[in-house]
């Protein structure tokens, strides 16, 4: 099995990764963000109290896909960081 360092290397190479121990998350990906910025929609505008179409810059971030197909923002837990059960999902 593989550790988080292995998972991060795979994520940086645009792979999808998974932990054997997970039952609720299908995979995690690393998105590069939007360093030049993107125009925001109504949901983001309301949350940030900005006008629709305003530009926001995003730093890189993780997204996960649940077993039911919903996309979530994902953050590693201590257990994830120390786990030895990481694998690449093809």
């Amino acid at each position: 099995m593989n550790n988080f360092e292995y998972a991060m290397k795979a994520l940086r190479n645009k792979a999808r990764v998974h932990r054997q121990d997970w039952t609720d998350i299908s995979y995690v990906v690393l998105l590069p963000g939007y360093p030049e910025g993107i125009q925001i929609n109504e949901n983001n505008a309301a949350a940030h109290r900005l006008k629709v179409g305003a530009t926001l810059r995003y730093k890189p971030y993780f997204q996960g896909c649940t077993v039911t197909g919903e996309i979530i923002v994902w953050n590693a837990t201590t257990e994830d960081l120390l786990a030895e059960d990481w694998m690449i999902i093809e």
Side-chain angles (χ1 to χ4, degrees):
M1 288 295 178
N2 300 294
N3 62 20
F4 189 69
E5 183 178 351
Y6 167 88
M8 278 304 305
K9 189 173 187 176
L11 288 164
R12 286 187 183 106
N13 286 311
K14 302 184 183 343
R16 299 183 305 167
V17 299
H18 173 78
R19 283 198 50 220
Q20 186 176 341
D21 192 50
W22 285 346
T23 58
D24 57 342
I25 299 175
S26 294
Y27 62 85
V28 168
V29 294
L30 174 61
L31 296 172
Y34 300 95
E36 302 302 317
I38 60 169
Q39 291 185 334
I40 59 173
N41 62 20
E42 201 171 291
N43 289 336
N44 279 320
H48 293 284
R49 296 182 175 87
L50 298 170
K51 292 183 179 181
V52 172
T55 300
L56 286 182
R57 294 184 315 228
Y58 289 80
K59 293 191 176 260
Y61 59 99
F62 297 105
Q63 280 188 342
C65 181
T66 67
V67 295
T68 57
E70 297 165 310
I71 300 302
I72 60 170
V73 175
W74 180 82
N75 291 297
T77 65
T78 301
E79 186 176 337
D80 293 327
L81 296 172
L82 298 175
E84 297 282 338
D85 64 348
W86 287 96
M87 61 187 81
I88 293 175
I89 300 297
E90 299 298 332

